[in-house]
Amino acid sequence: MPRKIDLSEKINQLRSFHEAEGRAPSYAEMAELFGYRSKNAVYGPVNKLLELGYLDKSTNGRLTLTAKITAATKLLGSVQAGFPSPAEEELVDTINLDQYLVRRPEATYLLTVSGESMIEAGIQPGDLVLVEKGGVPKQNDIVVAQIDGEWTLKYFGKDATGVYLDPANANYTRMRPERSLSIGGIVKAVVRKYDK
C-alpha cells in the first residue's frame, strides 16, 4: 500500500523556501527540503501539487510556484455586509493581491492620494490608487489626468462641449482643459490601510 503524502507539510515547506529564496526549488532542493534521499521520490508529491494547482510548469519545463503557494493571504470565504448571518471560518483558497488586482503588471503603478476632491467616491487622502496606463477611459471612469500641466485624480466625462473632469466632492467644480489634457491611466482599485 503506497504511503500517504502529507501535502500540507510540503506546501508549508515550499512557502518557507519561497520566502527565503524568492523562487521555486529545483528537484534536488525539493528532495532535501522534503527529507527524501533521491530526486525520484519527489515526483509523486510534485505531480499531486501540479494536479491541485500549487505548482505549474513553465514553457521550458521548469517548475514554478503558483499564487496558492506564493500568496501570503488566506481567503476564508465571504462575509455578509447587510444583516448578520451564521458563518464558519473555512479556508477557500489563498490569494495574491497582485494577481487579484493587477491585470497588466507592466502598465500598472500605485499613487498615494492627497487632497479631498474624490472623498464622495470613497477615495480619502492617504489611500493608494492602483492605476493602469494605456486604456481608453469610458464615461465616469476615475482617471489620473494631466490637465493644463497639472496632475489630478477625477471622474472622466464627455459631453457636447468636449471632455471634462469631475470631482467627487461638492466643494470642487468641474474642470475643462483650456490648453491640454492627457490621461495618465485609469484607476482600477483603491487600497486603504486603517492603522496608518
Side-chain angles (χ1 to χ4, degrees):
M1 183 170 159
R3 190 171 58 140
K4 189 171 180 348
I5 299 168
D6 182 359
L7 286 181
S8 62
E9 184 186 345
K10 306 287 182 271
I11 290 164
N12 287 333
Q13 290 167 326
L14 290 170
R15 276 198 184 112
S16 296
F17 184 93
H18 177 262
E19 285 170 17
E21 302 293 328
R23 61 177 175 82
S26 66
Y27 280 94
E29 288 169 323
M30 265 194 255
E32 187 178 326
L33 199 62
F34 297 164
Y36 296 153
R37 290 191 193 127
S38 74
K39 285 194 296 185
N40 287 344
V42 172
Y43 287 99
V46 163
N47 288 335
K48 194 68 180 163
L49 291 167
L50 282 164
E51 185 183 310
L52 294 172
Y54 287 92
L55 294 175
D56 201 358
K57 279 193 178 176
S58 65
T59 50
N60 63 0
R62 295 188 85 131
L63 288 176
T64 59
L65 304 173
T66 69
K68 287 186 172 188
I69 287 181
T70 60
T73 307
K74 296 174 184 165
L75 180 61
L76 294 178
S78 60
V79 65
Q80 184 87 350
F83 294 105
S85 66
E88 285 183 29
E89 187 176 295
E90 174 189 348
L91 180 61
V92 175
D93 205 346
T94 53
I95 188 166
N96 178 308
L97 290 177
D98 272 359
Q99 287 188 326
Y100 178 69
L101 297 174
V102 179
R103 199 175 45 138
R104 295 173 48 225
E106 74 287 351
T108 303
Y109 59 95
L110 287 166
L111 292 173
T112 302
V113 176
S114 62
E116 298 183 341
S117 71
M118 295 303 286
I119 59 173
E120 291 166 22
I123 302 174
Q124 306 288 330
D127 288 352
L128 293 173
V129 286
L130 187 89
V131 184
E132 187 177 288
K133 296 186 287 188
V136 177
K138 299 185 296 297
Q139 192 77 9
N140 294 322
D141 275 349
I142 297 173
V143 297
V144 172
Q146 188 178 41
I147 182 168
D148 299 328
E150 300 288 327
W151 286 99
T152 189
L153 180 72
K154 298 286 185 286
Y155 283 115
F156 176 85
K158 278 185 186 177
D159 60 15
T161 311
V163 173
Y164 60 85
L165 299 175
D166 267 344
N169 183 332
N171 296 323
Y172 292 77
T173 58
R174 176 172 284 182
M175 302 170 78
R176 289 190 186 272
E178 292 178 13
R179 298 181 309 279
S180 64
L181 175 74
S182 66
I183 303 300
I186 301 168
V187 173
K188 297 297 183 179
V190 177
V191 180
R192 177 171 305 136
K193 188 175 175 183
Y194 287 103
D195 61 339
K196 294 179 182 175

